[in-house]
Amino acid sequence: MEHRCENCIIRQFNSLRALNKEELKKVSDSKTSKRIKKGDALFIEGQKLDGVFCVRNGVSKLSKLSSNGKEQIVKLTNRGEIMGQRSVIAEDFTNLSATAISDMEVCFIPKEVISNILNTNPYFSLEVLRHMAHDLKEADDVIVNMSQKTVKQRLAEAFIYLKNNYGEDENGFISLTLSRDDYANIVGAATESLIRMISEFKKKGLIKTEGKKIGIVQECTLQELADGF
Amino acid sequence: MEHRCENCIIRQFNSLRALNKEELKKVSDSKTSKRIKKGDALFIEGQKLDGVFCVRNGVSKLSKLSSNGKEQIVKLTNRGEIMGQRSVIAEDFTNLSATAISDMEVCFIPKEVISNILNTNPYFSLEVLRHMAHDLKEADDVIVNMSQKTVKQRLAEAFIYLKNNYGEDENGFISLTLSRDDYANIVGAATESLIRMISEFKKKGLIKTEGKKIGIVQECTLQELADGF
DNA sequence: TCTAAAACATGATAATTGTCAGTTTTTACA
DNA sequence: TGTAAAAACTGACAATTATCATGTTTTAGA
């Protein structure tokens, strides 16, 4: 037997908390659980989704391929987030691809169930709206950073963001391990440029590395760097 | 006597079309109309809004100041759009400033009225949600463009976007006239760099200028340029 | 209509970032 | 566990874009 949404803590972190008992039962009865392996895709840009994903565990990247073939990571999802909402609500193709960055456990909820609740429960709509408002604000911030900050500043910011959002292990390394390529695709730079910058940060003693793992050594200096001194 | 929302065509273009008669009456009774002069602000980043603006006429820019003091324009609003929704829904400070780019006529609707309808009319919430989903998608596209395209590509794209969205006059100039500074703040570049690029485009016969006015001469070539050949 | 301020424009130069070419290290898996 | 592929890294160089300095044109308003 699978988990029941009624008993799932994750729900408290997303818009599903606005559901009443009957709605929750409907969701729980219709949902399916999936395990996604690191590197596998949840969905791909341009696809039509017939439901949303509720992330129980693991991290994924939302990215978009630009015409020159380079990937841009727009957002990393956290535990508890719902993915694919935008596409289901707008009845539109996904504009982003979602790929697991670590092994994931997700629940898939069919769109009919979601649409149905959206049409009848204004509190749920409002909750979804609040989350989307938050995403929109963050997207605006990213736009400003992309155009006004240097790659160096954006990288410094990324390290701090990752530390704050995913924590660090007992040795002071950021828990979420990303490839250099992923880092490049987050800050929007060539991989070689990014690798060089990591070397530079390391040489200056701002960060430490061990294989792919990266640890923040001087958070204050890094923050100052991100803010442009 | 002011205009009544019941008779306002603008409504059809935004989420207010989901309102029923009573709701519409409430909105109409509580709204106030305002004229905003070109260059004046509707609201400023960090402010708390106690309502939303419905744009009857005119164009405004939504922008954000970055830490280095440069402005980044995140979005231009069109006729019919509702502004300030995000802030009212999230009960948050505005993250953007709104400034009139042309003379504007707007209606201000107090947030209590909006919140009230959001809480009771799921169709309205859903409409707002759809609009916000659309904005979010556009924001994602801007992020990708900002990080993957060159200034030249972004500028070419901006010209085409402006032509398609605001049309052109009888002489083939884009109807919406922006300052070079505004153009720079849209594509995220230094004003000098942008001016140079306009000169270059003009020299190549892609565009024509007359004072501030800019007209597209070779749309196809411009489009190819935007796509990276 | 005169005048100061703002916007526009251009050149020279420097800083940032990307590209290409190649080497070394790590990883996956047959 | 050996090996091919992928990822990480480095150097040299080129392209893009920003900055500073300065001159010209346009605009707003006294």
Side-chain angles (χ1 to χ4, degrees), chain B residues 134-205:
Chain B
H134 179 255
D135 284 351
L136 188 55
K137 178 182 183 165
E138 290 208 324
D140 288 339
D141 289 340
V142 173
I143 291 173
V144 176
N145 278 345
M146 281 294 171
S147 60
Q148 307 286 9
K149 295 198 169 180
T150 63
V151 174
K152 199 174 293 181
Q153 290 178 295
R154 300 203 298 267
L155 181 61
E157 197 162 67
F159 286 142
I160 293 171
Y161 174 86
L162 290 172
K163 186 196 149 185
N164 291 338
N165 276 269
Y166 300 98
E168 40 187 23
D169 65 18
E170 60 278 11
N171 300 315
F173 291 102
I174 295 171
S175 300
L176 184 66
T177 305
L178 298 173
S179 68
R180 302 295 193 251
D181 223 21
D182 281 335
Y183 273 110
N185 296 340
I186 287 173
V187 302
T191 308
E192 297 95 322
S193 300
L194 182 115
I195 289 174
R196 248 182 273 273
M197 229 157 262
I198 288 182
S199 305
E200 191 191 321
F201 280 14
K202 196 178 163 182
K203 211 172 288 172
K204 287 187 183 160

Coordinates of all heavy atoms in Angstrom, one line a residue, chain B residues 134-205:
Chain B
H134 N 0.8 33.1 -17.1 CA 1.3 33.6 -18.4 C 2.5 34.6 -18.1 O 3.5 34.5 -18.8 CB 0.2 34.4 -19.1 CG 0.6 35.1 -20.3 ND1 0.9 36.4 -20.4 CD2 1.0 34.5 -21.5 CE1 1.3 36.7 -21.6 NE2 1.3 35.6 -22.3
D135 N 2.4 35.4 -17.1 CA 3.5 36.3 -16.7 C 4.7 35.5 -16.3 O 5.8 35.9 -16.6 CB 3.1 37.2 -15.5 CG 2.1 38.3 -16.0 OD1 1.9 38.5 -17.2 OD2 1.6 39.0 -15.1
L136 N 4.5 34.4 -15.6 CA 5.6 33.6 -15.1 C 6.3 33.0 -16.3 O 7.6 33.0 -16.3 CB 5.1 32.5 -14.2 CG 6.1 31.7 -13.4 CD1 7.1 32.6 -12.7 CD2 5.4 30.7 -12.5
K137 N 5.6 32.5 -17.2 CA 6.2 31.9 -18.4 C 7.1 33.0 -19.1 O 8.2 32.7 -19.5 CB 5.1 31.4 -19.3 CG 5.7 30.8 -20.6 CD 4.6 30.3 -21.5 CE 5.1 29.7 -22.8 NZ 4.2 28.9 -23.5
E138 N 6.5 34.1 -19.3 CA 7.2 35.2 -20.0 C 8.5 35.6 -19.2 O 9.5 35.8 -19.8 CB 6.3 36.4 -20.1 CG 5.2 36.3 -21.2 CD 4.8 37.6 -21.8 OE1 4.8 38.6 -21.1 OE2 4.5 37.5 -23.0
A139 N 8.4 35.6 -17.9 CA 9.5 35.9 -17.1 C 10.6 34.9 -17.3 O 11.8 35.2 -17.4 CB 9.1 36.0 -15.6
D140 N 10.2 33.6 -17.3 CA 11.2 32.6 -17.6 C 11.9 32.8 -18.9 O 13.1 32.6 -19.0 CB 10.5 31.2 -17.6 CG 10.1 30.8 -16.2 OD1 10.7 31.3 -15.2 OD2 9.2 29.9 -16.1
D141 N 11.1 33.1 -19.9 CA 11.7 33.4 -21.2 C 12.7 34.5 -21.2 O 13.8 34.5 -21.8 CB 10.6 33.7 -22.2 CG 9.8 32.5 -22.6 OD1 10.3 31.3 -22.3 OD2 8.7 32.6 -23.1
V142 N 12.4 35.5 -20.4 CA 13.3 36.7 -20.3 C 14.6 36.2 -19.6 O 15.7 36.6 -20.1 CB 12.6 37.8 -19.5 CG1 13.7 38.9 -19.2 CG2 11.5 38.4 -20.3
I143 N 14.5 35.4 -18.6 CA 15.7 34.9 -17.9 C 16.6 34.2 -18.9 O 17.8 34.5 -19.0 CB 15.3 33.9 -16.8 CG1 14.6 34.7 -15.7 CG2 16.6 33.2 -16.2 CD1 14.1 33.8 -14.6
V144 N 16.0 33.4 -19.7 CA 16.8 32.6 -20.7 C 17.5 33.5 -21.7 O 18.7 33.5 -22.0 CB 16.0 31.5 -21.4 CG1 16.8 30.8 -22.5 CG2 15.5 30.5 -20.4
N145 N 16.7 34.5 -22.2 CA 17.2 35.5 -23.2 C 18.4 36.3 -22.6 O 19.4 36.5 -23.2 CB 16.1 36.4 -23.6 CG 15.3 35.8 -24.7 OD1 15.7 34.8 -25.3 ND2 14.1 36.4 -24.9
M146 N 18.2 36.7 -21.3 CA 19.2 37.5 -20.7 C 20.5 36.8 -20.6 O 21.6 37.4 -20.7 CB 18.7 37.9 -19.3 CG 17.7 39.0 -19.3 SD 18.5 40.6 -19.8 CE 17.0 41.6 -20.0
S147 N 20.4 35.5 -20.3 CA 21.7 34.8 -20.0 C 22.3 34.2 -21.2 O 23.5 34.0 -21.3 CB 21.5 33.8 -18.9 OG 20.5 32.8 -19.4
Q148 N 21.5 33.9 -22.3 CA 22.0 33.2 -23.4 C 22.2 34.0 -24.7 O 22.9 33.6 -25.6 CB 21.1 32.0 -23.7 CG 20.8 31.1 -22.6 CD 22.0 30.2 -22.2 OE1 23.1 30.4 -22.7 NE2 21.8 29.3 -21.3
K149 N 21.5 35.2 -24.7 CA 21.6 36.0 -25.9 C 22.5 37.2 -25.7 O 22.7 37.7 -24.6 CB 20.2 36.4 -26.4 CG 19.4 35.2 -26.8 CD 18.2 35.7 -27.7 CE 17.5 34.5 -28.3 NZ 16.3 34.9 -29.1
T150 N 23.1 37.6 -26.8 CA 23.9 38.8 -26.8 C 23.0 40.0 -26.7 O 21.8 40.0 -27.0 CB 24.8 38.9 -28.0 OG1 24.0 39.1 -29.1 CG2 25.7 37.7 -28.2
V151 N 23.6 41.2 -26.4 CA 22.9 42.4 -26.3 C 22.2 42.7 -27.7 O 21.1 43.1 -27.8 CB 23.8 43.6 -25.9 CG1 23.0 44.9 -26.0 CG2 24.3 43.4 -24.5
K152 N 23.0 42.4 -28.7 CA 22.6 42.7 -30.1 C 21.3 41.8 -30.4 O 20.3 42.4 -30.9 CB 23.7 42.3 -31.1 CG 23.5 42.9 -32.4 CD 24.7 42.6 -33.3 CE 26.0 43.3 -32.8 NZ 27.2 43.1 -33.6
Q153 N 21.3 40.6 -30.0 CA 20.2 39.7 -30.2 C 19.0 40.2 -29.4 O 17.8 40.3 -29.9 CB 20.5 38.3 -29.8 CG 21.5 37.6 -30.7 CD 21.8 36.2 -30.2 OE1 22.4 36.0 -29.2 NE2 21.4 35.2 -31.0
R154 N 19.2 40.6 -28.2 CA 18.1 41.1 -27.4 C 17.5 42.3 -27.9 O 16.3 42.5 -27.8 CB 18.6 41.3 -25.9 CG 19.1 40.0 -25.3 CD 19.1 40.0 -23.8 NE 19.9 41.0 -23.2 CZ 21.2 40.9 -22.8 NH1 21.8 39.7 -22.9 NH2 21.8 41.9 -22.2
L155 N 18.3 43.2 -28.4 CA 17.8 44.5 -29.0 C 17.0 44.2 -30.2 O 15.9 44.7 -30.3 CB 19.0 45.4 -29.3 CG 18.5 46.8 -29.9 CD1 17.7 47.5 -28.8 CD2 19.8 47.6 -30.2
A156 N 17.5 43.3 -31.1 CA 16.7 43.0 -32.3 C 15.3 42.4 -31.9 O 14.3 42.8 -32.4 CB 17.5 42.0 -33.1
E157 N 15.4 41.6 -30.9 CA 14.1 41.0 -30.4 C 13.2 42.0 -29.8 O 12.0 42.0 -30.1 CB 14.5 40.0 -29.3 CG 13.4 39.0 -29.0 CD 14.0 37.8 -28.3 OE1 14.5 38.0 -27.1 OE2 14.0 36.7 -28.8
A158 N 13.8 43.0 -29.1 CA 13.0 44.0 -28.5 C 12.2 44.9 -29.5 O 11.1 45.2 -29.4 CB 13.9 44.9 -27.6
F159 N 12.9 45.2 -30.6 CA 12.3 46.0 -31.7 C 11.1 45.2 -32.2 O 10.0 45.8 -32.4 CB 13.3 46.3 -32.8 CG 14.3 47.3 -32.4 CD1 15.6 47.2 -32.8 CD2 13.9 48.4 -31.7 CE1 16.6 48.2 -32.5 CE2 14.9 49.4 -31.3 CZ 16.2 49.3 -31.8
I160 N 11.3 44.0 -32.5 CA 10.2 43.2 -33.1 C 9.0 43.0 -32.1 O 7.9 43.2 -32.5 CB 10.7 41.8 -33.5 CG1 11.7 41.9 -34.6 CG2 9.6 40.9 -33.9 CD1 12.5 40.7 -35.0
Y161 N 9.4 42.8 -30.8 CA 8.4 42.7 -29.8 C 7.5 44.0 -29.7 O 6.3 44.0 -29.7 CB 9.0 42.4 -28.4 CG 8.1 42.4 -27.3 CD1 7.3 41.3 -26.9 CD2 7.8 43.6 -26.5 CE1 6.4 41.3 -25.9 CE2 7.0 43.6 -25.5 CZ 6.3 42.5 -25.2 OH 5.4 42.5 -24.1
L162 N 8.2 45.1 -29.7 CA 7.5 46.4 -29.6 C 6.6 46.7 -30.8 O 5.5 47.2 -30.7 CB 8.6 47.5 -29.4 CG 9.3 47.5 -28.1 CD1 10.4 48.5 -28.1 CD2 8.3 47.8 -26.9
K163 N 7.1 46.3 -32.0 CA 6.3 46.5 -33.2 C 5.1 45.7 -33.1 O 4.0 46.1 -33.3 CB 7.1 46.1 -34.4 CG 6.4 46.5 -35.7 CD 7.0 45.8 -36.9 CE 5.8 45.5 -37.9 NZ 6.3 44.7 -39.1
N164 N 5.2 44.4 -32.7 CA 4.1 43.5 -32.7 C 3.1 43.9 -31.6 O 1.9 43.7 -31.8 CB 4.5 42.0 -32.5 CG 5.3 41.5 -33.7 OD1 5.1 42.0 -34.8 ND2 6.1 40.5 -33.5
N165 N 3.6 44.4 -30.5 CA 2.7 44.7 -29.4 C 2.1 46.1 -29.4 O 1.0 46.3 -28.9 CB 3.4 44.5 -28.1 CG 3.3 43.0 -27.7 OD1 2.4 42.6 -27.0 ND2 4.3 42.3 -28.1
Y166 N 2.8 47.0 -30.0 CA 2.3 48.4 -29.9 C 2.0 49.0 -31.3 O 1.6 50.1 -31.5 CB 3.2 49.3 -29.1 CG 3.3 48.8 -27.7 CD1 4.4 48.0 -27.3 CD2 2.4 49.1 -26.8 CE1 4.5 47.5 -26.0 CE2 2.5 48.6 -25.5 CZ 3.5 47.8 -25.1 OH 3.6 47.3 -23.8
G167 N 2.3 48.2 -32.4 CA 2.1 48.7 -33.7 C 3.0 49.8 -34.2 O 3.9 50.2 -33.5
E168 N 2.7 50.2 -35.4 CA 3.6 51.3 -36.0 C 2.7 52.4 -36.6 O 1.5 52.1 -36.9 CB 4.6 50.7 -37.0 CG 4.1 49.7 -37.9 CD 5.2 49.1 -38.8 OE1 6.4 49.1 -38.4 OE2 4.9 48.6 -39.9
D169 N 3.2 53.6 -36.7 CA 2.4 54.7 -37.3 C 2.4 54.6 -38.8 O 3.0 53.7 -39.4 CB 2.9 56.0 -36.7 CG 4.3 56.3 -37.2 OD1 4.8 55.7 -38.2 OD2 5.0 57.2 -36.6
E170 N 1.8 55.6 -39.4 CA 1.7 55.6 -40.9 C 3.0 55.7 -41.6 O 3.1 55.3 -42.7 CB 0.8 56.8 -41.3 CG 1.2 58.1 -40.9 CD 0.9 58.5 -39.5 OE1 0.5 57.7 -38.7 OE2 1.1 59.7 -39.2
N171 N 4.1 56.1 -40.9 CA 5.4 56.2 -41.5 C 6.3 55.0 -41.2 O 7.5 55.0 -41.5 CB 6.1 57.5 -41.1 CG 5.2 58.7 -41.5 OD1 4.7 58.8 -42.6 ND2 5.1 59.6 -40.6
G172 N 5.7 54.0 -40.6 CA 6.5 52.8 -40.3 C 7.4 52.9 -39.1 O 8.3 52.2 -38.9
F173 N 7.1 53.9 -38.2 CA 7.8 53.9 -36.9 C 7.0 53.3 -35.8 O 5.8 53.4 -35.8 CB 8.1 55.4 -36.5 CG 9.1 56.1 -37.5 CD1 8.7 56.9 -38.4 CD2 10.5 55.8 -37.3 CE1 9.6 57.5 -39.3 CE2 11.4 56.4 -38.2 CZ 10.9 57.3 -39.2
I174 N 7.7 52.6 -34.9 CA 7.1 51.9 -33.8 C 6.3 53.0 -33.0 O 6.8 54.0 -32.6 CB 8.1 51.2 -32.9 CG1 8.8 50.1 -33.7 CG2 7.4 50.7 -31.6 CD1 10.0 49.4 -32.9
S175 N 5.0 52.7 -32.7 CA 4.1 53.6 -32.1 C 4.6 54.0 -30.7 O 4.5 55.2 -30.3 CB 2.7 53.1 -32.0 OG 2.2 52.8 -33.3
L176 N 5.1 53.1 -30.0 CA 5.6 53.4 -28.6 C 7.0 53.9 -28.7 O 7.9 53.3 -29.2 CB 5.6 52.1 -27.8 CG 6.0 52.3 -26.3 CD1 5.0 53.1 -25.6 CD2 6.2 51.0 -25.6
T177 N 7.2 55.2 -28.3 CA 8.5 55.8 -28.3 C 9.2 55.7 -27.0 O 8.7 56.2 -26.0 CB 8.3 57.3 -28.7 OG1 7.6 57.4 -29.9 CG2 9.7 57.9 -28.9
L178 N 10.3 55.1 -27.0 CA 11.1 54.9 -25.8 C 12.4 55.7 -25.9 O 12.9 55.9 -27.0 CB 11.5 53.5 -25.6 CG 10.3 52.5 -25.4 CD1 10.8 51.1 -25.4 CD2 9.6 52.8 -24.1
S179 N 12.9 56.1 -24.7 CA 14.2 56.8 -24.7 C 15.3 55.7 -24.9 O 15.1 54.5 -24.7 CB 14.4 57.5 -23.4 OG 14.6 56.6 -22.4
R180 N 16.5 56.2 -25.3 CA 17.6 55.2 -25.5 C 17.9 54.6 -24.1 O 18.3 53.4 -24.1 CB 18.8 56.0 -26.0 CG 18.7 56.7 -27.3 CD 18.4 55.8 -28.4 NE 18.6 56.4 -29.7 CZ 17.6 56.6 -30.6 NH1 16.3 56.3 -30.2 NH2 17.8 57.2 -31.7
D181 N 17.7 55.3 -23.1 CA 17.9 54.8 -21.8 C 17.0 53.7 -21.4 O 17.4 52.7 -20.9 CB 17.7 56.0 -20.8 CG 18.7 56.0 -19.7 OD1 19.8 55.4 -19.9 OD2 18.4 56.6 -18.6
D182 N 15.7 53.9 -21.8 CA 14.7 52.8 -21.6 C 15.1 51.6 -22.4 O 15.0 50.4 -21.9 CB 13.3 53.3 -22.0 CG 12.7 54.1 -20.9 OD1 13.1 54.0 -19.8 OD2 11.8 55.0 -21.3
Y183 N 15.5 51.7 -23.6 CA 15.9 50.6 -24.4 C 17.1 49.9 -23.7 O 17.1 48.6 -23.6 CB 16.4 51.0 -25.8 CG 15.3 51.1 -26.8 CD1 14.8 52.3 -27.3 CD2 14.6 49.9 -27.3 CE1 13.8 52.4 -28.2 CE2 13.6 50.0 -28.2 CZ 13.2 51.2 -28.7 OH 12.2 51.3 -29.6
A184 N 18.0 50.6 -23.2 CA 19.2 50.0 -22.5 C 18.7 49.2 -21.3 O 19.2 48.2 -21.0 CB 20.1 51.1 -22.1
N185 N 17.7 49.8 -20.6 CA 17.2 49.1 -19.4 C 16.3 47.9 -19.7 O 16.1 47.1 -18.8 CB 16.5 50.1 -18.5 CG 17.4 51.2 -18.0 OD1 18.6 51.1 -18.0 ND2 16.8 52.4 -17.6
I186 N 15.8 47.9 -20.9 CA 15.1 46.7 -21.3 C 16.0 45.5 -21.6 O 15.9 44.4 -21.1 CB 14.1 47.0 -22.5 CG1 13.0 47.8 -22.1 CG2 13.6 45.7 -23.1 CD1 12.1 48.3 -23.2
V187 N 17.0 45.8 -22.5 CA 17.9 44.8 -22.9 C 19.0 44.5 -21.9 O 19.7 43.5 -22.0 CB 18.5 45.0 -24.3 CG1 17.4 45.2 -25.3 CG2 19.4 46.2 -24.3
G188 N 19.1 45.4 -20.9 CA 20.1 45.2 -19.9 C 21.5 45.4 -20.4 O 22.4 44.5 -20.4
A189 N 21.8 46.7 -20.8 CA 23.1 47.0 -21.3 C 23.4 48.5 -20.9 O 22.5 49.2 -20.5 CB 23.1 46.8 -22.8
A190 N 24.6 48.9 -21.1 CA 25.0 50.3 -20.8 C 24.4 51.1 -21.9 O 24.3 50.7 -23.1 CB 26.5 50.4 -20.8
T191 N 23.9 52.3 -21.6 CA 23.3 53.2 -22.6 C 24.2 53.4 -23.8 O 23.7 53.4 -24.9 CB 22.9 54.5 -21.9 OG1 22.1 54.2 -20.7 CG2 22.0 55.3 -22.8
E192 N 25.4 53.7 -23.5 CA 26.4 53.9 -24.6 C 26.4 52.7 -25.6 O 26.4 52.9 -26.8 CB 27.8 54.2 -24.1 CG 27.9 55.5 -23.2 CD 27.8 55.1 -21.8 OE1 27.0 54.3 -21.4 OE2 28.5 55.8 -21.0
S193 N 26.5 51.6 -25.0 CA 26.6 50.4 -25.8 C 25.4 50.3 -26.7 O 25.4 49.9 -27.9 CB 26.7 49.1 -25.0 OG 27.8 49.1 -24.1
L194 N 24.2 50.6 -26.1 CA 23.0 50.4 -26.8 C 22.9 51.4 -28.0 O 22.5 51.1 -29.1 CB 21.8 50.7 -25.9 CG 20.5 50.5 -26.6 CD1 19.8 49.3 -26.2 CD2 19.8 51.8 -26.7
I195 N 23.3 52.7 -27.7 CA 23.2 53.7 -28.7 C 24.1 53.3 -29.9 O 23.7 53.4 -31.1 CB 23.7 55.0 -28.1 CG1 22.6 55.6 -27.2 CG2 24.0 56.1 -29.2 CD1 23.1 56.8 -26.4
R196 N 25.3 52.8 -29.6 CA 26.2 52.3 -30.6 C 25.5 51.2 -31.5 O 25.6 51.2 -32.7 CB 27.4 51.7 -30.0 CG 28.7 52.5 -30.2 CD 29.8 51.7 -29.5 NE 29.9 52.1 -28.1 CZ 30.6 53.2 -27.7 NH1 31.2 53.9 -28.5 NH2 30.7 53.5 -26.4
M197 N 24.8 50.4 -30.8 CA 24.1 49.3 -31.6 C 23.0 49.8 -32.4 O 22.8 49.3 -33.6 CB 23.6 48.3 -30.5 CG 24.0 46.9 -30.9 SD 23.9 45.9 -29.4 CE 25.7 45.9 -29.0
I198 N 22.3 50.8 -32.0 CA 21.2 51.4 -32.8 C 21.9 52.0 -34.0 O 21.4 51.8 -35.2 CB 20.4 52.4 -32.0 CG1 19.6 51.7 -31.0 CG2 19.6 53.3 -32.9 CD1 18.7 52.7 -30.1
S199 N 23.0 52.7 -33.8 CA 23.7 53.3 -35.0 C 24.1 52.2 -36.0 O 23.9 52.3 -37.2 CB 25.0 54.0 -34.5 OG 24.7 54.9 -33.6
E200 N 24.6 51.1 -35.4 CA 25.0 50.0 -36.3 C 23.9 49.4 -37.1 O 24.0 49.2 -38.3 CB 25.6 48.9 -35.4 CG 26.4 47.8 -36.1 CD 26.7 46.6 -35.2 OE1 27.1 46.9 -34.0 OE2 26.6 45.5 -35.6
F201 N 22.8 49.1 -36.4 CA 21.6 48.6 -37.1 C 21.1 49.5 -38.2 O 20.7 49.1 -39.2 CB 20.4 48.4 -36.1 CG 20.5 47.2 -35.2 CD1 21.7 46.5 -35.1 CD2 19.4 46.8 -34.5 CE1 21.7 45.3 -34.3 CE2 19.4 45.6 -33.7 CZ 20.6 44.9 -33.6
K202 N 21.2 50.8 -37.9 CA 20.8 51.8 -38.8 C 21.7 51.8 -40.0 O 21.2 51.8 -41.2 CB 20.8 53.2 -38.2 CG 20.0 54.3 -38.9 CD 20.1 55.6 -38.1 CE 19.7 56.8 -38.9 NZ 19.9 58.0 -38.1
K203 N 23.0 51.7 -39.8 CA 24.0 51.7 -40.8 C 23.8 50.5 -41.7 O 23.9 50.6 -43.0 CB 25.4 51.7 -40.2 CG 26.5 52.4 -41.0 CD 27.8 52.5 -40.3 CE 27.7 53.5 -39.1 NZ 28.9 53.5 -38.3
K204 N 23.4 49.4 -41.2 CA 23.1 48.2 -41.9 C 21.8 48.2 -42.6 O 21.4 47.2 -43.3 CB 23.2 47.0 -41.0 CG 24.7 46.6 -40.6 CD 24.7 45.3 -39.8 CE 26.1 45.0 -39.4 NZ 26.1 44.0 -38.3
G205 N 21.0 49.3 -42.4 CA 19.7 49.3 -43.0 C 18.6 48.5 -42.4 O 17.6 48.2 -43.0

